[in-house]
């Protein structure tokens, strides 16, 4: 069987199951490979690679899973099923792998957004979401994207940069960092603005280290990205898009109104254009 045929066969086997775990999927993959004559003729290494590709396509991000597991990749740009660019160390390069078609790329996008209770379709073709590791996701579908689905994934480091790291990189001077520490400790309202990829989230994460640990912090975000450290009393809130019927939207404004009733010492609001750190 071809890889697509194997995938389709596995999907048919797991579809009747009410709850499908990773172990269930892996079990069905192994059974299919044992029943397929072509797979049995493969070497052990080839069969293991096929096994992983099938699992990634069914439970992960298909061919993109390889990039997700590569810590040197900071951004993934899918300009349709046949064109993928990646950013490594600030440099863009075209990747040599492609999706088998628009349908497969659409399946990956639907898989991503469904995990965070969001929806994207022809009626609402633009969505912001996130991966389990906190990576930011933006997807655009036809008819807004006439050449096929567009997917952009921005990854964040597992260990957020601290202020000392920014100083070592000459991103900020020690004097400026000391001044900002005083402002944060004293509870001043701060705005952080800048273009896409300019480091707003990274900078806010570094500033958050100056927040006293005894305070109650509430973060409000379009899509969860902040990595606030060393704050035990932390509440995270996230907006929600309207559903297919046009109902159920929860906006930044709604969350701010709710946060004010949650006894915050500080509220951190993140939107697509700026970050605001507000002391109450």
């Amino acid at each position: 069987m071809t890889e697509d045929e194997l995938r389709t066969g596995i999907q048919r086997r797991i579809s009747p199951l009410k709850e499908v775990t990773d172990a269930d999927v892996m079990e069905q993959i192994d059974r299919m490979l044992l029943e397929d004559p072509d797979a049995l003729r493969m070497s052990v290494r080839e069969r293991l690679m096929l096994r992983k590709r099938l699992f990634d396509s069914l439970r992960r991000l298909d061919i993109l899973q390889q990039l997700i597991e590569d810590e040197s990749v900071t951004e993934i740009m899918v300009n349709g099923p046949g064109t993928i660019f990646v950013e490594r160390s600030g440099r863009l390069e075209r990747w040599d792998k492609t999706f088998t078609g628009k349908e497969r790329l659409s399946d990956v996008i639907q898989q991503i957004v469904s995990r965070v209770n969001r929806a994207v379709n022809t009626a609402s073709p633009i969505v912001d979401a996130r991966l389990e590791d906190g990576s930011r996701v933006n997807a655009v579908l036809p008819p807004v994207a006439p050449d096929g689905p567009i997917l952009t994934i921005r990854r964040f480091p597992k260990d957020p940069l601290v202020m000392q790291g920014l100083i070592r990189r000459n991103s900020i001077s020690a004097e400026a960092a000391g001044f900002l520490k005083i402002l944060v400790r004293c509870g001043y309202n701060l705005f952080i603005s800048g273009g896409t990829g300019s480091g707003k989230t990274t900078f806010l994460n570094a500033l958050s280290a100056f927040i006293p640990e005894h305070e109650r912090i509430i973060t409000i975000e379009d899509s969860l990205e902040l990595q606030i450290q060393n704050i035990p009393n932390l509440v995270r809130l996230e907006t929600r898009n309207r559903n297919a019927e046009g109902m159920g939207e929860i906006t930044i404004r709604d969350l701010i109104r709710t946060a004010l009733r949650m006894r915050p010492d500080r509220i951190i609001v993140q939107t697509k254009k700026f970050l605001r750190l507000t002391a109450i």
Side-chain angles (χ1 to χ4, degrees), residues 1 6 13 28-40:
M1 295 185 188
L6 287 170
R13 292 188 178 192
Q28 296 303 325
I29 291 174
D30 289 339
R31 288 184 178 181
M32 286 290 293
L33 294 181
L34 287 173
E35 297 169 6
D36 181 48
D38 294 332
L40 291 175

Side-chain angles (χ1 to χ4, degrees), residues 1-2 5-14 25-42 47 50 54:
M1 295 185 188
T2 66
E5 289 172 338
L6 287 170
R7 185 188 303 111
T8 301
I10 296 165
Q11 287 174 325
R12 288 172 180 165
R13 292 188 178 192
I14 64 178
V25 175
M26 195 62 79
E27 179 183 354
Q28 296 303 325
I29 291 174
D30 289 339
R31 288 184 178 181
M32 286 290 293
L33 294 181
L34 287 173
E35 297 169 6
D36 181 48
D38 294 332
L40 291 175
R41 285 192 289 268
M42 293 179 178
R47 199 178 309 163
L50 175 58
L54 289 169

Side-chain angles (χ1 to χ4, degrees), residues 167-187:
I167 293 173
R168 285 195 299 269
R169 294 168 179 242
N170 294 319
S171 297
I172 187 173
S173 67
E175 292 78 11
F179 176 67
L180 288 171
K181 180 178 181 179
I182 294 172
L183 296 183
V184 173
R185 291 279 184 177
C186 292

Side-chain angles (χ1 to χ4, degrees), residues 4-200:
D4 286 339
E5 289 172 338
L6 287 170
R7 185 188 303 111
T8 301
I10 296 165
Q11 287 174 325
R12 288 172 180 165
R13 292 188 178 192
I14 64 178
S15 59
L17 301 177
K18 292 183 179 180
E19 294 185 6
V20 182
T21 65
D22 288 352
D24 293 330
V25 175
M26 195 62 79
E27 179 183 354
Q28 296 303 325
I29 291 174
D30 289 339
R31 288 184 178 181
M32 286 290 293
L33 294 181
L34 287 173
E35 297 169 6
D36 181 48
D38 294 332
L40 291 175
R41 285 192 289 268
M42 293 179 178
S43 66
V44 173
R45 181 174 180 275
E46 289 173 334
R47 199 178 309 163
L48 288 174
M49 291 176 62
L50 175 58
R51 184 176 186 256
K52 184 180 187 306
R53 289 199 304 270
L54 289 169
F55 182 78
D56 287 345
S57 68
L58 291 165
R59 299 293 283 185
R60 296 293 184 263
L61 301 183
D62 204 345
I63 60 172
L64 299 183
Q65 189 64 33
Q66 178 182 338
L67 297 176
I68 293 297
E69 295 171 358
D70 185 348
E71 295 186 2
S72 68
V73 173
T74 54
E75 192 132 15
I76 303 167
M77 291 149 278
V78 184
N79 303 339
T83 307
I84 301 175
F85 285 85
V86 299
E87 181 185 64
R88 288 187 176 92
S89 303
R91 297 184 62 181
L92 286 177
E93 58 187 55
R94 185 165 181 168
W95 202 36
D96 58 356
K97 294 188 178 181
T98 61
F99 284 92
T100 55
K102 295 180 181 180
E103 295 77 12
R104 189 71 208 116
L105 175 54
S106 294
D107 289 345
V108 170
I109 292 173
Q110 294 298 339
Q111 184 177 334
I112 292 172
V113 300
S114 64
R115 290 179 179 175
V116 290
N117 297 316
R118 303 211 170 189
V120 61
N121 47 51
T122 54
S124 180
I126 302 174
V127 68
D128 290 312
R130 69 181 187 280
L131 301 181
E132 288 84 350
D133 64 359
S135 298
R136 183 174 62 203
V137 176
N138 174 268
V140 183
L141 298 184
V144 175
D147 296 328
I150 307 298
L151 177 65
T152 308
I153 302 175
R154 168 158 296 217
R155 305 187 61 209
F156 298 100
K158 292 182 179 180
D159 299 317
L161 277 174
V162 297
M163 192 60 71
Q164 287 301 319
L166 295 178
I167 293 173
R168 285 195 299 269
R169 294 168 179 242
N170 294 319
S171 297
I172 187 173
S173 67
E175 292 78 11
F179 176 67
L180 288 171
K181 180 178 181 179
I182 294 172
L183 296 183
V184 173
R185 291 279 184 177
C186 292
Y188 279 79
N189 294 336
L190 302 176
F191 283 85
I192 303 171
S193 63
T196 301
S198 59
K200 300 184 296 296

Side-chain angles (χ1 to χ4, degrees), residues 213-244:
E213 293 184 8
H214 67 271
E215 292 188 355
R216 176 173 170 82
I217 310 301
I218 298 178
T219 65
I220 298 173
E221 304 178 66
D222 286 320
S223 185
L224 294 180
E225 297 176 8
L226 296 174
Q227 296 173 291
I228 308 297
Q229 306 291 315
N230 304 319
I231 301 294
N233 197 349
L234 174 67
V235 177
R236 305 170 74 201
L237 303 178
E238 183 181 36
T239 63
R240 185 177 70 186
N241 295 337
R242 59 173 61 92
N243 58 25

